[in-house]
Amino acid sequence: MDFGIVLQTDPPAAEVVRLMKAAEEQGFRYGWTFDSAVLWQEPFVIYARILAETSSLMVGPMVTSPGTRDWSVLASTFATLNDMYGNRTVCGIGRGDSAHRVVGKPPSTLATVRDCMRTVKDLAEGREVTMGDTAVRIPWIHGGRLEMWMAGYGPRALKTVGEHADGFILQCADTAIARWTIGAVRAAARAAGRDPAGITICVAAPAYVGEDLPHQREQLRWFGGMVGNHVADLVARYGENSTVPHELTDYIRDREGYDYAHHGRAGNPSTGFVPDEIVDRFCLLGPPAAHVARLQELAELGVDQFALYLMHDEREETLSAYGERVLPKLTA
């Protein structure tokens, strides 16, 4: 299993770079960031510094969206970083949550996500695409490579992943949900004539190593609120009695809105509806052995990477604990 960390690009950017360097030193292979231009600093500027100050770390957004950047600019940005630092970027992409909603935009359609993935990948790898009625190709790209990893929860999103994406990002560490979503992605890939094993599976969730479970739960309760934004869209589309697992939908019944000013932050006041049980299932808490046990279960389901959200009050301690006591158990 590979490991990554996920950070918000809060100022100062130098602190984001420092933590990414520390993660690489601890054995992490991927460095991801949020991508919401209004809420945080511009990640692609910071990626250049991270790549310059690390030797092999892969970087990318978790996740960008089709509606916040011109697709040709997005492809050229990835390709420029790859040309400078040697194909060390990956594009996580979704329909758009915070990046869209804070500027008054709805999430993109799945058809738009599909078309964006194809266009950005082809352009970033030097192939010609048609944009509108115009043939477009970036002439200076030679040997470029960019994988598109798509995030999603619902049946149609999982089908799109299986049919079109290079990787699947599940933002939740619950094993029942992982089993259902991974199965749906693989089934869609097989039906489309693709090799399911060729799709990288990434589970992303907060992790906090320590003994004080009540404190850890309060620090990570924000994640249930963030996931709840997407689940609310699913319930609105499919209803409560759809094929979407009840493990994912039942807990949002008391949800009453969401303030993006606190998005992804400990103490988010919009997450009081999230019970302890959801925090325990969606996140990784407790001593190192508990983290290892959950990660081994996820690995048995076919998870290739665990990406660790580090938004709590003991980031350094958790990062070190993973490097010293968790990664060695999973990366042999």
Side-chain angles (χ1 to χ4, degrees):
M1 181 181 280
D2 282 335
F3 286 84
I5 65 165
V6 190
L7 300 175
Q8 294 168 336
T9 50
D10 288 313
E15 179 67 4
V16 179
V17 176
R18 185 188 69 81
L19 285 168
M20 291 292 187
K21 290 170 63 178
E24 183 180 61
E25 291 168 1
Q26 293 285 0
F28 288 75
R29 293 192 59 235
Y30 285 76
W32 303 92
T33 71
F34 282 46
D35 179 15
S36 291
V38 172
L39 297 178
W40 301 288
Q41 292 187 331
E42 173 53 42
F44 285 90
V45 176
I46 300 171
Y47 294 157
R49 279 284 303 278
I50 296 169
L51 290 165
E53 298 192 26
T54 56
S55 61
S56 61
L57 195 73
M58 299 285 294
V59 304
M62 187 178 283
V63 292
T64 194
S65 69
T68 53
R69 305 173 191 274
D70 179 90
W71 299 355
S72 64
V73 175
L74 186 59
S76 182
T77 303
F78 277 114
T80 300
L81 292 171
N82 283 340
D83 188 65
M84 294 172 67
Y85 300 106
N87 287 336
R88 289 170 55 199
T89 68
V90 57
C91 181
I93 192 167
R95 294 179 59 215
D97 180 33
S98 61
H100 283 214
R101 298 188 204 266
V102 297
V103 295
K105 287 185 174 184
S108 298
T109 66
L110 289 172
T112 301
V113 177
R114 176 201 65 207
D115 293 345
C116 180
M117 286 196 294
R118 182 184 304 120
T119 298
V120 171
K121 180 180 179 67
D122 283 347
L123 282 174
E125 294 184 345
R127 292 183 291 276
E128 183 178 290
V129 303
T130 300
M131 301 186 71
D133 296 324
T134 303
V136 180
R137 180 180 163 282
I138 302 177
W140 48 263
I141 296 176
H142 303 283
R145 185 179 70 249
L146 180 66
E147 290 194 353
M148 307 296 293
W149 294 14
M150 181 180 163
Y153 298 97
R156 291 178 60 238
L158 300 173
K159 184 173 184 289
T160 303
V161 174
E163 292 174 345
H164 301 283
D166 298 308
F168 169 49
I169 297 171
L170 171 62
Q171 292 164 308
C172 175
D174 181 88
T175 54
I177 294 169
R179 182 178 296 106
W180 177 75
T181 55
I182 293 170
V185 166
R186 289 175 169 166
R190 280 191 294 269
R194 304 180 72 202
D195 179 6
I199 300 174
T200 303
I201 306 296
C202 173
V203 163
Y208 192 139
V209 177
E211 302 290 341
D212 188 347
L213 289 177
H215 177 73
Q216 291 178 43
R217 290 184 182 115
E218 290 309 311
Q219 286 286 300
L220 302 185
R221 201 173 303 277
W222 63 264
F223 186 66
M226 188 179 84
V227 173
N229 294 332
H230 304 285
V231 174
D233 287 345
L234 290 181
V235 171
R237 175 177 291 275
Y238 296 105
E240 292 189 1
N241 297 315
S242 69
T243 59
V244 179
H246 289 289
E247 291 91 344
L248 193 56
T249 60
D250 286 353
Y251 81 99
I252 68 161
R253 286 177 181 151
D254 295 325
R255 180 179 182 270
E256 296 181 347
Y258 190 82
D259 183 354
Y260 280 94
H262 307 281
H263 189 58
R265 299 186 187 279
N268 186 332
S270 301
T271 59
F273 69 94
V274 180
D276 288 350
E277 178 192 4
I278 288 295
V279 180
D280 291 351
R281 282 171 28 204
F282 284 18
C283 306
L284 275 70
L285 300 83
H291 293 246
V292 170
R294 177 81 67 83
L295 290 167
Q296 287 174 334
E297 292 178 7
L298 291 169
E300 290 172 1
L301 294 175
V303 174
D304 301 296
Q305 178 184 152
F306 177 64
L308 157 61
Y309 285 95
L310 268 182
M311 274 72 84
H312 55 70
D313 60 359
E314 290 196 0
R315 301 191 299 180
E316 308 275 0
E317 294 83 354
T318 291
L319 192 61
S320 296
Y322 259 70
E324 295 167 8
R325 304 181 63 184
V326 178
L327 267 67
K329 302 288 188 181
L330 278 297
T331 58

